[in-house]
Structures are given as C-alpha cells and as structure tokens.
Amino acid sequence: MNDDPSPSFALLSGAPTRTRADVLVLFASEASKPNEVVAAVDQALDGQLLRAAREEGFRGKAEQTFVFQTHGRLPAGRVVLSGLGPAGRFDAEVLRQAAGRGVKTAQKLRGSTVVMALPELDPAVGVRAVAEGAALGAYRFDRYRTDGQDERVPLRSVRLLLSNGLVRSSRLERALAEGVRVSGATNFARTLVNEPAAHLTPQALAEAAETVGKAHGLQVRVSGPRELRKLRMGMFAAVGQGSENGPRLIELSYRPRKAAESKRPPVALVGKAITFDSGGLSLKTADGMMDMKTDMAGSAAVLGAMEVVAELAPPFPVQAFLGAAENMPSGTAYRPGDVLVSRLGKTVEVTNTDAEGRLVLGDVLAYAVERKPSAVIDLATLTGACVVALGNWMGGAFSNDDALAEEVLAAARRAGESFWRMPLVDLQKETLRSEIADMKNVGERWGGAITAAVFLREFVGQTPWVHLDIAGPSQAPRERGYQGKGATGIGVRTLAEFLRARARAS
Ligand code: BES
Ligand code: ZN
Ligand code: ZN
C-alpha cells in the first residue's frame, strides 16, 4: 500500500524548442492562427505538428487533445496539444481542465517529466490554474492496487514554461505555491473520501484531524459518545449509537497571532462526516449503499481547507466542526419513532433513520453558532434529491443571508467549483410537522433538498449561514479534465478562496 509521491513543481523560462522533457504540453485554442509557442514548436518540426493535428481533426476544442511523437527532432519526446475552446474566451477553469487533461495524457504516454507552456492569460492567473490542473490531474487513488495495472505512470516533475519574455518573479512563485498547496489539500480530501469505511472510522478521521492540527499549529479537540450526551447533542449521539465505531465531534481551531485579531468573531466551517451511511434501520438498498463510504465528503472538504488556513493566515479565527458518526443498524441503533432532544432543546421525531445527516448537523450547527461566528458554512452530502435537481457536476447552495451567499458563490466561481443557489421555501417546513414532537426529521418526497435545508435552518438562528449540499459533485461519474472517476474533493478550493478573499478584505 504505497502512495505516489506528489510531483515536484517549478517555473522555468526558456524556449519550448529547447526544453527537455518526456512530454511537452502546449495549449491551443480554436483560433485560426496558432499562438506563438505552438507556432515556434511547429516551425522547429517543419510544420508537421500542425499538419498532423489538422489531419487528425484536432481543432483546439475544449476536451480535445492531440499527441505528436518528435522522434528526436526536439529535446521533448512527445508534444501534446490540449484544446482550450473558442479563442479569447477561455478562463482559469478552462485552463485548469486543459492542464489536467494534459498531464493525464502525458501519464498514459508513460511520461513522468512534463513541461507545460503557459498560454496568454494574466500570468499569475495562468500559473496558478496550470499548477492546480496539473496537480489535481496527476492524482490517483492506488494505495490498494498491487497489480500495477493502472495504465498511468506516476508523475515526477511538472515545470511551467514561461515564454513571451516572461521571467520568474516572486509574484509568479507565490501563485505557483498557492496552486500547489490548495491542490494538495484537495487531493488529501479526495483520499479521505476514497478511503473505505472499514479504515476511515470516526476515530480515524479524528486522528487525521490531529495530524493536520499538528502540522499546521491548529488546536484540535475530539469528543466521544459520552461527551456528546453531556453536550446534550441528542440527535448527533443517536445517529452514532448503532455502531461499534462510536461518534466523534472533531473541532479544529485556527487563531491569528495578534491578540486583537484573535478576539474577532470567527468564521465557522461545519462538515457532515458520516463515515458510512447504511441508512440505519431504515436500511438502504444494496445499490443505494454502494458509495456511502463517501458520506463524509463535507468534512473532508472542511479538513482540507483547514490544512491551508494557517498559510492563508486570515486576521480572524477559523473554527471547524466535523460531526463524525457511522450510521448502522443494530440492537443499539436509534429507531424510527424515537423522539430525540437536540442541543437547542427542540425535539425531533425520527421517521426515517436514513435522514441522519440533518440530525448530526443540526446539533453541530447549534453548537457552532454559540461561538457567535460572523459566518457559518456547512458542507454535506445531504440529499439524493439535490442530485436529482442539479446532477453530478453542480452542488446546491442554500442561505439565510444574500450577501454571504454571494460571497461564497463568487469564491466558488473564482476557484472553478460550481454551485447553484436554491431557495429556502418556508412552506416546505409544514411537511415536517409532527403529532408528538416539535418536528419530524423527514417530510414529503418533493423538494427534499429544500426541506433538509429548512430543517438545518432551525438550528442556526440569526447567524449568516450557507449550506452547500454536495451529494452530487462529491463524486465524479467519469474522468474529465483534472478530475478522475471518484472523489472530487469539492469544497476545498471554494473554502480556501473564501477565506483568502475575506482575509484580504479585512
Ligand atoms: N447520504 C445520503 C444522501 C446521499 C444520497 C448522498 C446519494 C450521496 C448520494 C443521506 O443521508 C440520505 O440518505 N438522504 C435521504 C433522505 C431521505 C430519507 C429523506 C435521501 O436523500 O434519500
Ligand atoms: Zn442517509
Ligand atoms: Zn447520509
């Protein structure tokens, strides 16, 4: 069980025609005229690169790639053209995707040293996007493969070639370092999500959080089942009571060095961490249970963001709360019909033990807002209904505060992650009416993602709050750009960008 070491990244200046590498990746748009870098390489190959590309139907469309063997005519063994789509319309995310596709192609060609030539975009934006796309694209989860059958070889080095007279500068070095750091955190989150539930128990997640805390100087506190009862988190404790692997409330806290800054209101990040969701006594079907080791993707994103928070060094505290439990059926499991007493004192009748995420999050959100945060953001693989609504490539964003919602959505756009604002429909709460308690945990089928969010809203009071339902985009159904099939690590980049922008503004 060996993990690939991550590739090393560096900036390089010089001519693409004189650059040694297993694979040289060039970006090309649909423009009728090739860009300077492509033209120079084509010229060194006597026009054969573009002629062959044209013959094989490569037109620079996004998602297109073309491979050319140089047979010793260039110091680079292969040239890969990666398409950017319509000229002048590509942005950082298109470039990220193209860079990811470029390294994946390079790895399939058994190349382990890759040089990527930056296209014409603001250079700091370009460096960052290419670094992220390459680092994310090189990710594989192969610690359980012993047969070496993966067609891709591990990537050793990626160098970003600055052309057009650009030279290395501290600004570009910083863009590179930031891109590599946030991608590393995303890949860390992907691995937590891909890890089987037998290994990634609530306690194992707590240990991962402690490792992150030690590496980055964060305070970590872990509470077990007895403490959850003492904290009167009756909903959270109930969800965890059916498993041999008991629940854990995992708290991480970043504090700025300056005393005045450390007294500011914190930003609170909350993650759902159901390490396995069998549905409990309201048992899922075999198919429905298949991917449920990934039901902790929200907390993986929060933990990934906490991995970069110390380097971002915002001038306000950041507190993370992971609600970790395994939802299992057993003789000690909570039952349909049980009435639970939440930390807020509200009582909840359980009508379906598979709607466990909102029970855990309700208690954790109530606890988080007691710290009087300026904002609380939760991430959760909360509802299948959200997958029905928005599919696998976009998450749902629910909020009680328009300004905060826009701040989070803008950060997501800059980071290249997709969320769509969804409404909190007040009338939806009627479906949660219970005969014997304050609420039920499940309403009608229709509008299920909204009802779940409306349930959560009961526990945040007046605190500005955004809930990101990532049940769809936590997993990619197929390979695309910098994404392989499997865990995406969605949320890490949005949270990191949110904190970075807020740090700058304050
Ligand atoms: N973890 C699931 C939601 C989920 C579904 C995540 C598909 C990823 C992919 C959640 O705990 C759940 O089971 N929700 C139920 C709620 C229902 C019982 C009201 C659902 O969506 O079916
Ligand atoms: Zn469930
Ligand atoms: Zn769940």
Side-chain angles (χ1 to χ4, degrees), residues 16 22-43 45 47-70 74 76-85 94-95 97-106 109 114-117 119:
D22 292 338
V23 179
L24 173 64
V25 177
L26 309 178
F27 299 99
S29 71
E30 290 176 41
S32 48
K33 223 175 115 233
N35 64 45
E36 276 177 42
V37 180
V38 173
V41 173
D42 185 52
Q43 201 177 17
L45 292 166
Q48 289 182 25
L49 173 67
L50 287 176
R51 194 177 326 133
R54 253 192 313 274
E55 279 169 13
E56 291 197 15
F58 178 85
R59 291 203 302 279
K61 287 190 185 297
E63 317 240 338
Q64 270 191 319
T65 47
F66 171 72
V67 179
F68 187 86
Q69 298 274 349
T70 65
L74 282 184
R78 262 74 52 90
V79 176
V80 169
L81 297 181
S82 190
L84 294 173
V94 170
L95 188 52
Q97 297 285 358
R101 208 155 7 88
V103 299
K104 284 218 201 93
T105 306
L109 295 168
V114 175
V115 169
M116 311 190 105

Side-chain angles (χ1 to χ4, degrees), residues 272 274 276-277 284 292 295 327 354-357 381-383:
K272 171 176 173 180
I274 299 300
F276 187 71
D277 184 8
K284 288 182 183 290
M292 283 303 134
D295 209 17
N327 189 21
D354 196 11
E356 82 298 337
T381 46
L382 202 61
T383 65

Side-chain angles (χ1 to χ4, degrees), residues 272 274 277 279 282 284 288 291-292 294-295 327 352-358 380-387 441-445 448 469-472 474-475:
K272 171 176 173 180
I274 299 300
D277 184 8
S282 311
K284 288 182 183 290
D291 282 336
M292 283 303 134
T294 70
D295 209 17
N327 189 21
N352 190 320
T353 62
D354 196 11
E356 82 298 337
R358 63 196 73 179
T381 46
L382 202 61
T383 65
C386 204
V387 192
N441 73 328
V442 167
E444 289 163 6
R445 177 162 178 232
D469 192 331
I470 57 168
S474 60
Q475 293 260 92

Side-chain angles (χ1 to χ4, degrees), residues 8 17-18 31 64 149 201 224 233 253 286 329 443 470 493:
S8 68
T17 50
R18 285 200 293 276
Q64 270 191 319
Q149 265 180 36
T201 58
M233 296 197 181
S253 143
I470 57 168
R493 289 186 285 144

